[in-house]
Amino acid sequence: MKITSTKVASDGTRYNVSVPQNIPAYTQVYSNVDNKLDKEKYTAPGAKYAFASIDMKADESKRRDLLIKEAFTLNKRPIPEDTIRVKYKITPKGKILEMDFFISATSKLSADDIELIEETLKDKYTVKMSAEKFKGMKFTIYTAPINLGRIKNL
């Protein structure tokens, strides 16, 4: 991926913005400049159905979404209408280590919005999953959408 620019949140958190070659051209990827796991060798889990053990069904998505809504409300920030895709880098116990955000190039999301989502989920959300299926791995990667427009109506 080619880094096209860097965006900075109000507290100084910096995000590299890049355009991947293998997904639609209108998508940009925001990655915290402190992310390090992309440089590490990643091996997908050997268990055939390991990813099926990651719970992102309606109840879990709602739990995650309510945390995001609460963060925007407490910070008196409007919730954008965007749907974004988030690539989570998570421990076998579900702790979020790093995140990458796949966002439309026409999105109104700011670096502050991205930072708020990232900090909220890293601090308050643990992905439900079967740790046994990912045993021995430092981290695994899982991608899921977040519909911010729907969060407004929770």
Side-chain angles (χ1 to χ4, degrees), residues 1-118:
M1 282 191 279
K2 179 181 175 188
I3 296 173
T4 58
S5 65
T6 300
K7 304 281 184 188
V8 182
S10 59
D11 80 342
T13 301
R14 296 175 353 154
Y15 291 90
N16 285 329
V17 182
S18 56
V19 179
Q21 297 168 344
N22 57 345
I23 61 176
Y26 57 83
T27 302
Q28 296 177 326
V29 180
Y30 283 65
S31 300
N32 191 312
V33 296
D34 293 331
N35 285 0
K36 305 277 188 257
L37 294 176
D38 287 334
K39 295 175 182 148
E40 291 193 22
K41 183 177 179 180
Y42 171 71
T43 305
K48 189 174 183 181
Y49 298 104
F51 288 107
S53 77
I54 297 175
D55 185 352
M56 279 291 181
K57 295 181 185 88
D59 287 347
E60 260 318 281
S61 293
K62 185 174 182 179
R63 186 172 70 88
R64 177 203 61 201
D65 294 350
L66 285 170
L67 290 170
I68 294 169
K69 181 177 183 176
E70 177 184 44
F72 274 87
T73 302
L74 288 173
N75 286 278
K76 297 181 169 102
R77 298 184 60 79
I79 300 173
E81 293 287 332
D82 298 72
T83 295
I84 60 175
R85 295 193 63 76
V86 179
K87 180 168 82 173
Y88 301 92
K89 295 159 199 154
I90 51 180
T91 69
K93 293 189 177 186
K95 179 174 175 20
I96 298 170
L97 302 171
E98 295 179 359
M99 303 163 74
D100 295 319
F101 298 86
F102 293 73
I103 300 170
S104 167
T106 60
S107 172
K108 302 282 190 250
L109 276 169
S110 68
D112 287 325
D113 294 333
I114 296 165
E115 178 188 46
L116 182 59
I117 294 167
E118 181 176 31

